[in-house]
Amino acid sequence: MSKNLKVGISIGDINGIGLEVIIKTLSDPDVYKYCTPVVYGHTKVASFHRKAAGIQEFSFQVVSDAEHAHQGKPNMINCWEEDVKIELGESNPTGGKYALLSLQRATEDLVAGKIDALVTAPINKHNIQSDEFKFPGHTEYIQEKAKGGDSLMFLMGEDLKVGVVTGHVQVKDIVKGISKEAIVSKLRLMDQSLRKDFWVEKPKIAVLGLNPHAGDNGLLGTEEQEIISPAIEEAFNEGIFAFGPFPADGFFGKQAYSKFDAVLAMYHDQGLIPFKSLSFNYGVNYTAGLNVVRTSPDHGTGYDIAGKNMASPTSFRTALFMALHIVRQRREQEELQENHLPFSKISKDRD
């Protein structure tokens, strides 16, 4: 297995902090010991951001194709030819247009196997909408392009891993997305990812309730009794060590998550508010359940600090190394299986 993997990077909204955190990450020479980065954008746009952020002595090596990327250097594929007007801190159609051009080319190469993994810088989910992008976010777009089935938005931090049953949906539509089948599907994906991508031999998963106090025995809602508990029982019967449903407030307040390998929340904010409270600036969003590897930082476009040299690259750098880690874990496990070596004797927990 090659030590130096090829990782693609989409630049996100050109008016945000994406290229700033990308350049700061790739300015670290240690990065090139582990991967060959290929950024999808344009060198003129990258130069503008480098100068705006006051970053000195950094330049990309222009290549026409990911297969021609140079090891030991930051590579750039120019995804358009025209000059682009950059308006730092502004949300406008221009930012969405070029974010999509970058993402399209990067995703095509990911699916074609020209890159080993993809790290996506933040997009604006509103200005990127078009006839070619009618998705709530990166996760759903990449899921369709990779022709995968269900996928899991899986947030990774040092002390907490959180997945969600319903992702980017309106609050009024959350209950519509909560079903026994949906919960069991997400539990399967989470269990498989923990085993395959993070080498947790017997993952323990906590499942949160939907209603306050997990329904309080039906007084505050019946979804826990009618949907969530039966889903947990079905998953447990399949060999998935799922427990709950737990009241979300007490669960996080008592730090009960420390007793589990991951947590399945029912909806976006239920899981992401505590996650970002604990892991902001170094958390990673991972799209689990696909045959390709995609990660992203856990922050947004950062319009308010764009071009001010204030953006921290920590989360983006963590996302980059997380992607490399997952690719290697998958490939090493495949090699072990090809040699008929039992997983349990190799590692109890490589996470």
Side-chain angles (χ1 to χ4, degrees):
M1 180 171 57
S2 174
K3 177 182 178 182
N4 201 278
L5 299 174
K6 197 173 293 182
V7 58
I9 299 171
S10 61
I11 63 172
D13 193 310
I14 62 171
N15 295 321
I17 61 173
L19 271 163
E20 180 179 331
V21 297
I22 291 169
I23 293 171
K24 286 180 175 178
T25 297
L26 301 186
S27 294
D28 181 355
D30 285 343
V31 168
Y32 305 96
K33 297 177 183 178
Y34 305 99
C35 72
T36 299
V38 182
V39 181
Y40 295 80
H42 200 285
T43 49
K44 288 184 179 179
V45 176
S47 180
F48 181 97
H49 279 269
R50 179 186 63 78
K51 293 175 182 177
I55 300 170
Q56 305 296 325
E57 299 180 357
F58 180 91
S59 61
F60 284 99
Q61 181 79 29
V62 178
V63 293
S64 60
D65 192 283
E67 295 177 341
H68 304 148
H70 302 273
Q71 287 197 21
K73 296 180 180 180
N75 298 274
M76 172 75 78
I77 292 177
N78 288 332
C79 298
W80 58 84
E81 296 301 328
E82 65 271 21
D83 290 333
V84 179
K85 183 180 181 181
I86 300 172
E87 297 176 279
L88 292 175
E90 297 293 326
S91 172
N92 57 37
T94 300
K97 173 183 176 180
Y98 292 100
L100 180 55
L101 289 175
S102 170
L103 179 61
Q104 285 176 324
R105 181 71 184 274
T107 304
E108 287 171 4
D109 282 0
L110 177 68
V111 173
K114 292 184 177 182
I115 53 179
D116 297 295
L118 173 61
V119 184
T120 57
I123 59 172
N124 181 310
K125 296 178 178 64
H126 301 285
N127 67 28
I128 198 172
Q129 296 298 320
S130 66
D131 290 339
E132 296 175 287
F133 191 100
K134 296 180 179 179
F135 302 89
H138 277 120
T139 301
E140 296 81 3
Y141 175 83
I142 294 171
Q143 176 181 324
E144 178 173 291
K145 297 301 179 182
K147 297 185 178 0
D150 196 8
S151 68
L152 175 72
M153 182 189 297
F154 208 179
L155 284 298
M156 307 282 170
E158 290 184 4
D159 302 315
L160 177 63
K161 292 182 176 67
V162 173
V164 294
V165 177
T166 60
H168 298 120
V169 300
Q170 297 182 43
V171 172
K172 65 183 179 65
D173 295 328
I174 288 173
V175 175
K176 299 176 186 175
I178 302 298
S179 67
K180 177 182 175 182
E181 293 74 21
I183 294 169
V184 172
S185 176
K186 299 300 183 183
L187 284 170
R188 288 171 182 152
L189 291 171
M190 183 175 282
D191 181 73
Q192 290 166 6
S193 179
L194 290 168
R195 293 173 185 270
K196 179 179 179 181
D197 301 329
F198 300 96
W199 284 38
V200 182
E201 186 181 359
K202 296 179 179 179
K204 287 179 59 181
I205 301 171
V207 181
L208 302 181
L210 173 65
N211 298 293
H213 306 298
D216 202 1
N217 294 317
L219 181 65
L220 300 177
T222 60
E223 285 82 5
E224 284 75 14
Q225 295 171 317
E226 297 175 356
I227 299 173
I228 302 175
S229 291
I232 294 171
E233 182 178 0
E234 180 174 325
F236 202 93
N237 289 336
E238 292 182 8
I240 298 172
F241 297 105
F243 303 88
F246 298 101
D249 55 351
F251 181 85
F252 289 110
K254 296 176 183 178
Q255 299 182 344
Y257 56 84
S258 63
K259 300 177 183 179
F260 295 89
D261 297 296
V263 179
L264 182 65
M266 291 298 109
Y267 57 94
H268 185 279
D269 283 12
Q270 184 188 53
L272 269 67
I273 288 175
F275 176 83
K276 291 194 175 185
S277 297
L278 292 167
S279 306
F280 200 70
N281 285 331
Y282 60 86
V284 174
N285 181 1
Y286 168 47
T287 305
L290 302 179
N291 60 0
V292 295
V293 174
R294 171 259 171 173
T295 64
S296 70
D298 72 346
H299 57 71
T301 54
Y303 288 137
D304 57 324
I305 59 172
K308 298 179 181 179
N309 197 22
M310 295 172 60
S312 169
T314 304
S315 182
F316 189 88
R317 183 170 57 241
T318 305
L320 173 66
F321 282 101
M322 177 71 75
L324 298 174
H325 173 78
I326 293 169
V327 171
R328 290 196 176 95
Q329 293 285 77
R330 286 188 178 189
R331 293 184 180 180
E332 187 172 349
Q333 192 173 132
E334 288 171 2
E335 290 177 5
L336 293 172
Q337 290 173 344
E338 288 175 1
N339 292 320
H340 306 291
L341 295 175
F343 172 78
S344 59
K345 293 184 179 180
I346 303 300
S347 174
K348 291 184 177 181
D349 187 345
R350 289 281 301 273
D351 182 19

